[in-house]
């Protein structure tokens, strides 16, 4: 590698921009593709130097051409940096990647999520970071999953991830192709394709390699076809006086043939090892005496074929290693692989060499152990591949069970679980159907069938597991699974007796996981019937101690938090949510389903209890630039605080969410809050469109209908319309009285409050004024929902004023106004000031008739921003900003923007 970078200034500039964005708190990913030898590693090295100069911590890892044998190899390489030792030590699951896996914690389906979450936490702690992953075309499945995870989850962290890959290796069915296609659609991902150098650039590049005549330069440029590595090899061959072969492989081998016989012998052994090899291992496999070996290595290094790297050697380029390996004779290749197998200890590497060396006994033994280690390390795809390799070899190896260490059906179960954990439920089901139907197999199969919504078969299989189970712990798990499968089926009436039986059996057998699962099922049933105290007690018992299954423990803590919240016990809900969030963080599961749900609940508790600064701080961690449905759901949560405070990021967030509106949950969350945003900004027609879209996707019994219907009725009041009001209140009443399977039990406090709010809004839409209705609403929300109490007091004040009780109206208005300003609820505070001014309440200040959006624009005008800058800040069109500015000038009777700002400050509209 020479010291000059030729012809890549545009590509390097693009990568540096991704790096700069990361330094500014906008995490990014860059994917650098190009043919072998085109200069990807050289470009990455230049970026690494730039990053170090700017003070970033640099992590570098390289994939190896071993298929899926070694999971997370580039991550393990990167984590070996001594500068990361303390950060890695604080997260034991990361440290497991640096040993042989034997000390890893027992496996579970959450191990990979824990690993990914722990890495994300570590990157946040040691930021700013540049993480380079080279040769993604050789990446194992788990490394590819890790890249997708980081690309989606990194948002505001000061982290830049760069991956390189060879485009000429990506055949139509290459597993990296769909990953690249998926990632390149993400807004945070930048694709950089390295083209061949032009003839002028290539001439400049060759000139940096050394002196060459005009004729030789022309021949190199013509033959290299824009490939810098090919040009280097041509230059080296020409410098040694060699004739120039027709192909790159021939050219590389012609340079190898110049080596002495011992040198060629050592290089052939190194090629079988892969891209890198330790000095002592290479010496042993070569079979040469120490002195002769060292002389041979010195010769190879002097010719630039191997580079010294740490305590070993690496091929200068992967193409050279591939050429030497391909040139080996079949017997020679087999012998060298077997020789390596006698000197290695890593089961994954042993499995690779035994298979390549046709040693089926060794391959089966090593693959079984490699599968167990991959399982413990949180690499389910690799575990599945290793276990399947064992099963494929089983009938061809004598005493297979003895050598594998487990019976065939146990390994088949392990393979199925690993397949499911890697997202392949179809593969898991197929594997389990192919083995003898033991109760353990049937119980697991029922779980997977249930997750695939194959309800009837899941129930039948679970019943078979219950009927054949003899061990108490196995029976307890089978009963708990059957109860859960029945809970939401047409046979739901049968599930509670089974859950009770599962609970008794689990307690007798000491099966804590089955006990917790049964308790959660029973608690959910009690809650659905409106037996809130019983539900709370059952969830409390389930969450009181660990079950040995993190997924169940987090599920119990989430449900207990939710019930406390529904009962208005916000302090208790906060305490339990914090326990769950801490457990998720400690185990790297902050981004798991229940880890995310617990964080949202904690955010909602902050929001409801009036701790809005804390809520806004949490919302800042919810992604704006979303690329998947789960990210969009999480992003939608932030709209609660952003809409209620009138924050400028609402427009941008909604723009990112809009492509995901086909998803029902995203539509429910984001469009119902978009309706409130439109209403606050004087556009009830747009608000109604959002409400109608949400109502279209809600099922009749969905309790979320209550809040949406209440908002929709408020919209109709603003429009002065009664059409549609009766339909909305009918939907709300049905949802309040009817559950998924019939009559609904008593609702939680928030549900009851929204039911009363919908009734009061219906009366208001029809032009009826009833202060008592709004008093009920205020009282219903007074369990602790600070903001909704203030909004309801506003309507109560209006009703009191309309019925002639001016004193009481002013008291309610004053309390609502004080709360609104204390919360920083600018849209509500602005509306209350306008209402107070119209009602001529004592203490009311004027907003000059400005809408909440116009107040936002005015504040930015006062900062000296132009229309384009305001539009970018508020994520609205420049023309829309111009209309708002014109309205502001007219309402404030100002002729210039500066004058408008001065008037606004004088009138108290701006601080």
């Amino acid at each position: 590698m020479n010291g000059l970078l030729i012809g890549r200034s545009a590509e390097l500039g693009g990568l540096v921009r991704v790096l700069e964005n990361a330094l500014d708190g906008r995490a990014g990913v860059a994917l650098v593709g190009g043919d072998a030898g085109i200069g990807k590693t050289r470009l990455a090295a230049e970026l690494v130097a730039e990053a170090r100069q700017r003070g970033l911590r640099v992590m570098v890892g390289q994939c190896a051409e071993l298929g899926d044998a070694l999971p997370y190899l580039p991550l393990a390489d990167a984590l070996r940096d001594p500068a990361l030792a303390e950060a890695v030590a604080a997260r034991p699951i990361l440290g497991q990647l640096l040993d042989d896996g034997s000390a890893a914690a027992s496996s579970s389906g959450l191990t990979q999520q824990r690993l990914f979450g722990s890495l994300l936490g570590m990157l946040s702690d040691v930021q700013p970071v540049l993480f380079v992953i080279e040769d993604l075309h050789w990446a194992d499945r788990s490394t590819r999953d890790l890249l997708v995870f980081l690309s989606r989850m990194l948002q505001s962290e000061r982290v830049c991830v760069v991956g390189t890959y060879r485009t000429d290796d990506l055949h139509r069915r290459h597993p990296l192709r769909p990953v690249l296609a998926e990632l390149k659609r993400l807004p945070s991902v930048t694709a950089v394709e390295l083209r061949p150098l032009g003839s002028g650039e290539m001439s400049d590049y060759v000139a940096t390699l050394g002196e060459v005549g005009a004729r030789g330069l022309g021949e190199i440029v013509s033959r290299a076809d824009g490939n810098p590595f090919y040009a280097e090899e041509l230059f080296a061959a020409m410098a040694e006086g060699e004739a120039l072969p027709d192909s790159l492989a021939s050219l590389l081998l012609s340079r190898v043939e110049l080596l002495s016989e011992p040198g060629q012998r050592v290089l052939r052994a190194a090629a079988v090892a892969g891209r890198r090899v330790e000095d002592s291992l290479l010496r042993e496999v070569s079979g040469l005496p120490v002195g002769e070996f060292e002389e041979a290595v010195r010769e190879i290094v002097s010719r630039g074929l191997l580079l010294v790297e740490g305590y070993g050697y690496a091929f200068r380029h992967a193409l050279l290693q591939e050429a030497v390996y391909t040139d080996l004779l079949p017997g020679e290749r087999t012998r060298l692989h077997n020789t390596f197998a006698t000197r290695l200890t890593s089961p994954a590497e042993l499995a690779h060499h035994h298979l390549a060396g046709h040693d089926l006994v060794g391959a089966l033994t090593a693959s079984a152990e490699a599968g167990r280690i991959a399982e413990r390390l949180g690499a389910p795809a690799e575990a599945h591949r290793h276990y399947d390799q064992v099963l494929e070899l089983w009938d061809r190896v004598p005493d297979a069970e003895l050598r594998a260490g487990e019976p065939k059906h146990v390994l088949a179960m392990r393979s199925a679980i690993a397949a499911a954990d890697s997202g392949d439920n179809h593969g898991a089901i197929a594997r389990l159907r192919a083995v003898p139907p033991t109760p353990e197999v049937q119980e697991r199969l029922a779980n997977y069938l249930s997750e695939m919504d194959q309800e009837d078969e899941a129930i039948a299989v679970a019943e078979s597991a219950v009927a054949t189970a003899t061990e108490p712990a196995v029976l307890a798990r089978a009963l708990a699974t059957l109860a859960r499968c029945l809970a939401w089926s047409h046979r739901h009436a049968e599930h509670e007796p089974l859950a009770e039986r599962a609970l008794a059996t689990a307690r007798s057998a000491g099966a804590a996981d089955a006990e917790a699962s049964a308790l959660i099922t029973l608690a959910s049933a009690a809650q659905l019937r409106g037996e809130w105290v019983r539900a709370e007690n059952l969830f409390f018992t389930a969450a009181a101690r660990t079950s040995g299954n993190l997924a169940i423990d987090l599920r119990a803590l989430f449900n207990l938090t939710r019930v406390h919240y529904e009962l208005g016990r916000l302090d208790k809900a906060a305490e339990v949510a914090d326990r769950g969030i801490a457990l998720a963080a400690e185990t790297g599961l902050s981004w798991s389903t229940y880890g995310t749900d617990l964080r949202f609940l904690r955010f909602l508790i902050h929001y409801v209890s009036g701790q809005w600064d804390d809520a806004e701080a949490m919302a800042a961690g919810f992604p704006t630039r979303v690329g998947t449905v789960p990210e969009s759901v999480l992003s939608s949560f932030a709209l609660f605080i952003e809409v209620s405070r009138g924050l400028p990021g609402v427009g941008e967030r909604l723009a990112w969410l809009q492509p995901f509106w086909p998803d029902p949950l995203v539509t429910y969350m984001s469009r119902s809050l978009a309706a409130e945003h439109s209403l606050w900004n004087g556009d009830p027609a747009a608000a109604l469109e959002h409400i109608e879209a949400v109502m279209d996707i809600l099922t009749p019994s969905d309790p979320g209908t209550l809040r949406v219907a209440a908002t929709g009725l408020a919209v109709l009041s603003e429009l002065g319309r009664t059409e549609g009001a009766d339909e909305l209140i009918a939907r709300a009443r049905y949802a309040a009285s009817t559950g998924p399977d019939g009559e609904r039990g008593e609702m939680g406090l928030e549900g009851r409050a929204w039911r009363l709010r919908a009734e009061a809004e219906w009366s208001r839409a029809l032009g009826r004024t009833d202060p008592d209705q709004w008093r009920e609403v205020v009282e219903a929300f007074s369990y602790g929902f600070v903001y909704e109490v203030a909004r309801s007091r506003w309507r109560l004040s209006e009703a009191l004023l309309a019925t002639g009780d001016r004193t009481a109206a002013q008291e309610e208005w004053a309390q609502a106004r004080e709360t609104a300003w204390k919360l920083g609820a600018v849209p509500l505070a602005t509306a209350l000031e306008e209402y107070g001014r119209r009602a001529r309440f004592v203490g009311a200040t004027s907003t000059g008739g400005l809408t909440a959006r116009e107040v936002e624009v005015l504040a930015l005008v006062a900062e000296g921003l132009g229309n384009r800058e305001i539009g970018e800040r508020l994520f609205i069109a420049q023309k829309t900003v111009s209309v708002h500015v014109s309205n502001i000038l007219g309402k404030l009777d100002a002729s210039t923007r500066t004058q408008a700002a001065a008037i606004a400050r004088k009138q108290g509209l701006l601080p």
Side-chain angles (χ1 to χ4, degrees):
M1 182 185 296
N2 67 75
L4 296 176
L5 187 69
I6 304 295
R8 300 299 186 205
S9 57
E11 292 88 348
L12 179 60
L15 293 177
V16 170
R17 281 192 293 276
V18 177
L19 198 68
E20 289 172 341
N21 286 338
L23 283 170
D24 290 338
R26 299 190 302 278
V29 175
L31 300 173
V32 182
D35 290 347
I38 205 70
K40 301 179 294 297
T41 298
R42 178 70 180 86
L43 184 64
E46 195 74 16
L47 183 68
V48 164
E50 180 74 20
R52 288 193 169 121
Q53 192 173 20
R54 292 172 181 249
L56 280 87
R57 188 186 300 272
V58 175
M59 299 169 56
V60 179
Q62 189 166 35
C63 304
E65 194 177 9
L66 292 175
D68 286 342
L70 289 172
Y72 303 120
L73 181 60
L75 176 59
D77 277 351
L79 293 178
R80 287 192 174 92
D81 184 346
L84 295 171
E86 185 177 344
V88 172
R91 297 168 175 83
I93 196 166
L94 294 180
Q96 292 169 187
L97 294 177
L98 306 185
D99 57 31
D100 62 4
S102 59
S106 57
S107 61
S108 80
L110 295 176
T111 306
Q112 186 173 64
Q113 293 184 48
R114 292 178 60 196
L115 178 68
F116 288 3
S118 294
L119 176 63
L120 192 61
M122 190 202 79
L123 291 174
S124 298
D125 288 348
V126 302
Q127 60 184 318
V129 177
L130 169 64
F131 184 12
V132 179
I133 307 174
E134 294 199 70
D135 297 328
L136 285 169
H137 50 281
W138 288 329
D140 57 278
R141 163 69 184 276
S142 292
T143 295
R144 296 193 298 270
D145 289 344
L146 175 63
L147 178 64
V148 172
F149 174 82
L150 292 176
S151 300
R152 294 191 178 286
M153 291 297 105
L154 289 169
Q155 296 280 336
S156 57
E157 296 85 356
R158 294 191 297 154
V159 177
C160 174
V161 179
V162 174
T164 68
Y165 63 95
R166 277 167 36 176
T167 52
D168 48 339
D169 267 18
L170 300 188
H171 52 79
R172 188 170 59 87
R173 302 187 67 181
H174 194 288
L176 186 63
R177 284 181 70 95
V179 174
L180 293 174
E182 176 186 354
L183 294 183
K184 288 178 181 179
R185 290 194 293 267
L186 299 180
S188 60
V189 174
T190 299
V192 177
E193 295 290 334
L194 296 191
R195 55 178 175 76
L197 294 178
S199 57
E201 295 167 331
M202 183 58 78
S203 296
D204 292 342
Y205 180 72
V206 174
T208 68
L209 302 177
E211 293 186 9
V212 61
R215 182 176 177 180
L217 176 63
E219 188 171 1
I220 291 174
V221 170
S222 174
R223 298 276 295 277
D225 201 22
N227 188 299
F229 176 67
Y230 199 175
E232 289 178 25
E233 293 301 312
L234 289 166
F235 178 87
M238 186 176 289
E240 293 174 351
E242 294 293 310
L244 301 185
D246 293 331
S247 70
L248 179 57
S250 298
L251 172 62
L252 294 172
L253 291 173
S254 71
R255 295 194 61 208
V256 173
E257 289 164 1
L258 296 175
L259 294 171
S260 63
E261 175 54 36
Q264 292 188 45
R265 182 173 176 177
V266 170
L267 197 63
R268 287 194 290 269
V272 171
R275 183 79 182 271
R276 293 185 177 87
V277 62
E278 293 295 313
D279 176 87
S280 58
L281 177 60
L282 182 59
R283 176 172 52 78
E284 290 179 20
V285 173
S286 73
L288 294 173
V290 174
E292 195 174 347
F293 169 78
E294 290 179 347
E295 190 61 34
V297 170
R298 186 171 285 106
E299 179 189 13
I300 297 168
V301 171
S302 69
R303 290 185 177 273
L305 300 175
L306 287 182
L307 304 175
V308 176
E309 193 171 278
Y311 294 100
Y313 310 99
F315 278 89
R316 188 168 70 84
H317 199 283
L319 287 173
L320 177 58
Q321 182 265 334
E322 292 166 16
V324 175
Y325 184 82
T326 303
D327 193 53
L328 291 172
L329 296 171
E332 184 180 24
R333 187 182 299 133
T334 298
R335 178 182 59 77
L336 284 169
H337 275 296
N338 284 325
T339 304
F340 271 106
T342 63
R343 287 163 172 80
L344 292 168
T345 57
S346 164
E349 291 182 285
L350 282 173
H352 167 73
H353 286 293
H354 280 311
L355 280 170
H358 309 297
D359 178 1
L360 303 188
V361 172
L364 181 141
T365 304
S367 293
E369 184 58 25
R372 286 187 279 267
I373 290 175
E375 194 179 337
R376 290 194 291 267
L377 289 177
E382 288 69 32
H384 174 54
R385 192 186 70 81
H386 284 302
Y387 289 140
D388 268 12
Q389 184 67 64
V390 174
L391 295 171
E392 287 175 17
L393 295 172
W394 195 272
D395 294 332
R396 299 162 64 189
V397 174
D399 300 320
E401 183 174 330
L402 178 65
R403 299 180 188 280
E406 292 178 297
K408 187 177 183 179
H409 76 275
V410 173
L411 284 165
M413 174 86 97
R414 285 183 177 275
S415 180
I417 293 171
D421 289 345
S422 64
D424 184 11
N425 273 6
H426 289 291
I429 290 169
R431 174 58 71 190
L432 289 177
R433 282 175 170 160
V435 297
T438 65
E440 295 91 339
V441 167
Q442 296 290 77
E443 186 270 333
R444 182 66 62 168
L445 177 57
N447 272 300
Y448 296 148
L449 289 167
S450 178
E451 289 174 12
M452 298 295 291
D453 293 324
Q454 297 181 33
E455 179 183 289
D456 291 338
E457 187 178 1
I459 292 170
V461 171
E463 287 178 327
S464 174
V466 169
T468 57
T470 55
E471 295 181 23
V474 175
L475 176 59
R477 295 186 184 101
L479 285 165
T481 296
L482 177 57
R484 193 166 62 253
C485 290
L486 288 170
W488 300 102
S489 74
H490 59 284
R491 293 170 54 188
H492 65 273
E494 302 174 38
H495 85 282
E496 280 194 84
L498 282 165
E500 293 282 7
R501 184 182 165 198
L503 180 60
T505 306
R507 285 175 170 167
S508 174
D513 56 338
E515 177 184 352
S517 180
L519 284 166
I520 293 170
T521 300
L522 289 168
S524 300
Q527 177 197 323
L528 197 61
R529 288 195 302 273
E531 297 175 6
W532 288 93
V533 175
R534 172 173 163 76
E536 185 179 34
N537 290 335
L538 288 169
F539 280 133
F540 178 84
T541 304
R545 63 189 180 99
T546 59
S547 69
N549 184 315
L550 279 171
I552 291 176
D553 292 343
L554 289 172
R555 183 175 154 218
L557 288 167
F558 167 76
N559 279 290
L560 180 57
T561 301
R562 185 176 51 78
V563 169
H564 282 327
Y565 172 84
E566 291 286 352
L567 291 173
R569 294 166 184 163
L570 300 181
D571 289 342
K572 283 188 175 182
E575 180 184 336
V576 178
D578 288 340
R579 273 177 56 200
I581 290 168
L583 176 61
E586 289 165 8
T587 54
L589 291 174
S590 293
W591 288 99
S592 66
T593 300
Y594 283 110
T596 300
D597 287 348
L598 278 161
R599 281 188 293 149
F600 166 60
L601 257 182
R602 189 65 182 94
F603 162 78
L604 201 58
I605 293 163
H606 282 312
Y607 176 75
V608 168
S609 59
Q611 300 164 347
W612 277 22
D613 290 342
D614 293 324
E616 187 175 339
M618 285 194 75
F622 298 163
T624 298
R625 299 173 294 160
V626 295
T628 66
V629 169
E631 291 170 18
S632 302
V633 172
L634 187 60
S635 179
S636 299
F637 299 156
L639 290 169
F640 277 101
I641 191 69
E642 290 179 349
V643 169
S644 299
R645 276 193 158 172
L647 300 178
V650 173
E652 180 182 7
R653 191 177 295 278
L654 286 172
W656 282 104
L657 288 169
Q658 187 170 352
F660 298 93
W661 281 351
D663 180 80
L665 185 54
V666 176
T667 289
Y668 167 69
M669 292 291 297
S670 65
R671 298 200 72 173
S672 59
L673 289 163
E676 292 195 16
H677 180 64
S678 296
L679 202 54
W680 285 128
N681 286 281
D683 192 353
L688 188 59
E689 286 182 22
H690 289 301
I691 292 297
E692 289 172 344
V694 177
M695 294 298 288
D696 284 344
I697 58 96
L698 288 173
T699 58
S701 62
D702 192 323
T705 301
L706 296 169
R707 182 172 69 89
V708 180
T711 304
L713 288 162
V715 170
L716 293 180
S717 293
E718 293 301 314
L719 289 169
R721 285 175 47 181
T722 58
E723 181 185 352
D726 288 346
E727 181 184 349
L728 283 171
I729 196 61
R731 289 282 302 271
R733 288 168 178 166
Y734 183 87
S737 62
T738 310
D741 302 308
E743 186 176 349
R744 183 185 295 281
E746 185 180 2
M747 302 188 77
L749 294 183
E750 185 180 2
R752 289 177 239 166
W754 282 112
R755 177 178 59 78
L756 292 170
R757 173 76 152 270
E759 293 287 351
E761 290 287 5
W762 175 63
S763 296
R764 190 167 77 94
L766 297 179
R768 301 169 186 167
T769 302
D770 186 353
D772 289 337
Q773 263 194 314
W774 284 106
R775 282 196 185 93
E776 277 191 276
V777 178
V778 169
E779 185 178 349
F781 278 116
S782 293
Y783 69 86
F785 206 147
V786 178
Y787 177 60
E788 292 304 339
V789 168
R791 285 215 291 183
S792 301
R793 287 190 189 281
W794 174 24
R795 297 308 180 196
L796 173 57
S797 175
E798 289 180 329
L800 289 166
L801 189 64
T803 56
D805 193 344
R806 183 177 182 79
T807 301
Q810 169 135 357
E811 287 177 3
E812 297 296 338
W813 168 81
Q815 290 186 61
R817 176 175 177 261
E818 180 183 1
T819 298
W821 285 118
K822 187 179 294 184
L823 291 173
V826 174
L828 176 59
T830 302
L832 284 165
E833 295 294 357
E834 281 299 300
Y835 163 60
R837 183 185 60 80
R838 292 194 309 271
R840 299 186 180 182
F841 289 147
V842 176
T845 59
S846 173
T847 61
L850 303 182
T851 66
R853 174 63 88 187
E854 288 166 353
V855 172
E856 284 182 310
V857 172
L858 178 58
L860 297 177
V861 166
E863 290 181 21
L865 273 61
N867 287 358
R868 181 181 61 79
E869 296 166 305
I870 294 172
E872 291 174 352
R873 184 80 67 85
L874 299 179
F875 216 72
I876 57 178
Q878 187 173 339
K879 183 176 179 181
T880 304
V881 176
S882 178
V883 171
H884 284 312
V885 171
S886 296
N887 290 340
I888 291 167
L889 296 177
K891 290 179 180 181
L892 297 182
D893 195 22
S895 55
T896 67
R897 297 161 76 98
T898 303
Q899 186 181 11
I903 293 171
R905 287 194 175 94
K906 186 176 181 180
Q907 293 184 1
L909 301 180
L910 295 174

